[in-house]
């Protein structure tokens, strides 16, 4: 029973971490028009956050055991 609870809690915490990373990367830039330079910077930021999410997933896998 304790294992099941730990698994559920771990999943909820992971979802919270991912949503926090997404929220921090957007920071209100969704509703306005962007110049090509801003679009490029935004895309670089999204790529960086994608790599950060992959790294956090890997670290979670390493720390499970």
């Amino acid at each position: 029973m304790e294992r099941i609870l730990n698994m559920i809690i771990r999943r909820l915490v992971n979802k919270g971490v991912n949503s926090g990373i997404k929220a921090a990367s957007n920071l209100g830039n969704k509703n306005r028009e962007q110049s090509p330079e801003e679009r490029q910077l935004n895309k670089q930021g999204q790529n960086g956050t994608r790599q950060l999410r992959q790294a956090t997933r890997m670290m979670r896998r390493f720390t499970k055991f």
Side-chain angles (χ1 to χ4, degrees):
M1 188 69 177
E2 185 178 342
R3 279 183 160 178
I4 294 172
L5 288 175
N6 282 338
M7 181 183 70
I8 292 169
I9 290 171
R10 187 182 317 120
R11 283 191 178 190
L12 290 174
V13 168
N14 290 344
K15 283 186 181 187
V17 168
N18 284 339
S19 64
I21 291 172
K22 285 180 185 177
S25 68
N26 287 337
L27 288 179
N29 287 332
K30 279 189 170 184
N31 297 330
R32 63 183 184 129
E33 294 181 20
Q34 296 177 342
S35 67
E37 295 87 16
E38 288 176 331
R39 266 190 228 115
Q40 183 181 12
L41 286 173
N42 195 11
K43 193 154 193 99
Q44 285 176 352
Q46 288 175 352
N47 288 337
T49 57
R50 186 179 307 122
Q51 290 174 350
L52 180 64
R53 267 187 255 122
Q54 287 176 348
T56 55
R57 265 189 245 126
M58 287 177 62
M59 290 308 297
R60 288 181 198 141
R61 286 181 188 154
F62 288 138
T63 58
K64 273 186 182 179
F65 303 107

